[in-house]
Amino acid sequence: MNGMASDHNTSSQEEYTPHYLQKGDPFASKLSREADIIAGFYLTVIGILSTLGNGYVIFMSSKRKKKLRPAEIMTVNLAVCDLGISVVGKPFSIISFFCHRWMFGWIGCRWYGWAGFFFGCGSLITMTAVSLDRYLKICHLSYGTWLKRHHAFICLAVIWAYATFWATVPFAGVGSYAPEPFGTSCTLDWWLAQASVAGQVFVLSILFFCLLLPTAVIVFSYVKIILKVKSSTKEVAHYDTRIQNSHILEMKLTKVAMLICAGFLVAWIPYAVVSVWSAFGQPDSVPIQFSVVPTLLAKSAAMYNPIIYQVIDCKFACCRSGGLKAKNSLKKSR
């Protein structure tokens, strides 16, 4: 019986054929030419806005680089990750959509897949570090006060090493990068989970260490922060102006971080769900026309962050100027 089971498993693995080898040319677009053109224009707009927005955040931060707080340093790193995928990755997919096929062969496919996963993982781990920083600053002040700029730079080194490790693991023969089902983009080969147990271990490891664990830390941190803020808002009102201003700044940074994390997760969760379904569901159970939508949504994540940062920053500046006007009028009346 065991021999029959092993023979069956061996034969099933031998019968497995990746989706990109089932229909001839793996890099030919499976969408209509009109759909490719629309996707190409969409990514062009996203790429331009993302490049300009994140470039602006980096430029403005560089003008006050010696005054950046640890959470702001992380925000700059997030902008670097988003700018990286916009400059390094998006041109490949934009050209391919307009040409109605992937134009850069297997080497370009693997490079594009690596760059997308590297910068995407870097973004999520950065947001995880930001959420922990916010959690310590808001909920455990005794620990949060010792978090200084040099700790932030150490954290950046860990983030880049973590992203490099997981993005490079597929090149060690454990996994690989492959064309998307629609042909004009590349990603992690999620479909290896259908080929072997080793493929399933690879996919599950990527999901746990590069999505589920960071997301769980982010959710835990911000839930604890929300509960803490509700219980401590009245207490802060009794402190002097300096402590109140410090609290307001910390809350501003926390709002920015929460919105950025929410935008990132909203953009990437649908893609993660479709990827998991492709990996462990029935082959071809996800229609090609349906699989392209989460991919395009995920590629828009790099555009949200500078918009969120600037909107919150302008709102904070307006509130601060309003507070100063109120104080000045109060002084005059006195």
Side-chain angles (χ1 to χ4, degrees):
M1 291 294 290
N2 293 335
M4 293 177 61
S6 62
D7 292 340
H8 176 73
N9 291 334
T10 303
S11 62
S12 63
Q13 292 179 16
E14 290 176 353
E15 292 173 0
Y16 168 76
T17 303
H19 69 87
Y20 46 84
L21 298 179
Q22 293 176 359
K23 300 177 181 178
D25 187 355
F27 298 127
S29 176
K30 310 305 187 295
L31 304 174
S32 67
R33 186 171 293 276
E34 292 76 13
D36 276 335
I37 292 174
I38 293 173
F41 275 115
Y42 168 82
L43 288 181
T44 300
V45 173
I46 293 296
I48 292 173
L49 293 177
S50 174
T51 301
L52 293 176
N54 289 291
Y56 176 77
V57 170
I58 295 171
F59 172 73
M60 294 303 294
S61 299
S62 66
K63 299 175 76 172
R64 50 185 295 269
K65 56 186 177 182
K66 294 183 179 180
K67 297 180 180 180
L68 293 176
R69 301 161 70 89
E72 293 174 312
I73 293 173
M74 293 297 174
T75 302
V76 174
N77 190 63
L78 189 59
V80 170
C81 292
D82 292 339
L83 183 64
I85 190 58
S86 298
V87 173
V88 175
K90 280 190 173 62
F92 287 81
S93 55
I94 290 171
I95 293 171
S96 298
F97 272 116
F98 281 127
C99 293
H100 199 50
R101 64 173 288 110
W102 179 259
M103 299 297 295
F104 306 97
W106 279 104
I107 294 177
C109 181
R110 293 187 179 101
W111 161 251
Y112 178 84
W114 181 90
F117 185 45
F118 172 72
F119 287 114
C121 182
S123 294
L124 183 57
I125 303 305
T126 300
M127 285 184 283
T128 305
V130 170
S131 69
L132 286 174
D133 172 78
R134 298 292 85 209
Y135 170 68
L136 291 174
K137 286 286 178 66
I138 303 297
C139 300
H140 298 281
L141 190 60
S142 58
Y143 294 98
T145 51
W146 62 264
L147 290 174
K148 306 300 181 183
R149 284 168 56 90
H150 66 276
H151 294 113
F153 290 115
I154 294 173
C155 189
L156 290 185
V158 174
I159 289 170
W160 287 111
Y162 192 91
T164 301
F165 173 79
W166 286 107
T168 309
V169 160
F171 293 128
V174 180
S176 74
Y177 295 99
E180 298 267 16
F182 50 87
T184 47
S185 182
C186 294
T187 184
L188 279 169
D189 193 348
W190 302 103
W191 301 269
L192 285 174
Q194 299 177 3
S196 64
V197 175
Q200 293 176 2
V201 172
F202 164 73
V203 171
L204 289 173
S205 298
I206 291 291
L207 286 172
F208 180 76
F209 288 104
C210 300
L211 179 64
L212 297 180
L213 180 60
T215 302
V217 173
I218 290 171
V219 172
F220 168 81
S221 298
Y222 289 124
V223 167
K224 296 294 286 185
I225 287 171
I226 291 171
L227 295 176
K228 180 67 175 180
V229 167
K230 285 186 176 180
S231 63
S232 63
T233 302
K234 294 181 179 179
E235 297 177 6
V236 174
H238 298 290
Y239 296 149
D240 60 32
T241 304
R242 184 176 58 83
I243 295 178
Q244 289 180 4
N245 291 338
S246 177
H247 179 75
I248 290 172
L249 179 57
E250 294 294 344
M251 291 312 303
K252 173 217 167 184
L253 295 174
T254 303
K255 288 179 181 179
V256 171
M258 290 178 69
L259 288 175
I260 286 176
C261 290
F264 185 91
L265 294 176
V266 167
W268 278 97
I269 290 296
Y271 179 79
V273 171
V274 170
S275 298
V276 171
W277 186 264
S278 299
F280 297 101
Q282 294 296 321
D284 299 326
S285 58
V286 179
I288 292 177
Q289 291 77 8
F290 180 75
S291 67
V292 71
V293 176
T295 302
L296 295 178
L297 179 62
K299 293 179 187 297
S300 69
M303 180 186 68
Y304 304 149
N305 299 338
I307 297 174
I308 292 170
Y309 186 80
Q310 292 304 317
V311 168
I312 295 294
D313 196 48
C314 291
K315 181 179 178 182
F316 176 73
C318 291
C319 292
R320 184 172 53 189
S321 63
L324 289 174
K325 290 179 180 178
K327 288 181 180 179
N328 291 333
S329 62
L330 182 60
K331 288 181 180 178
K332 291 180 180 179
S333 65
R334 286 179 179 175

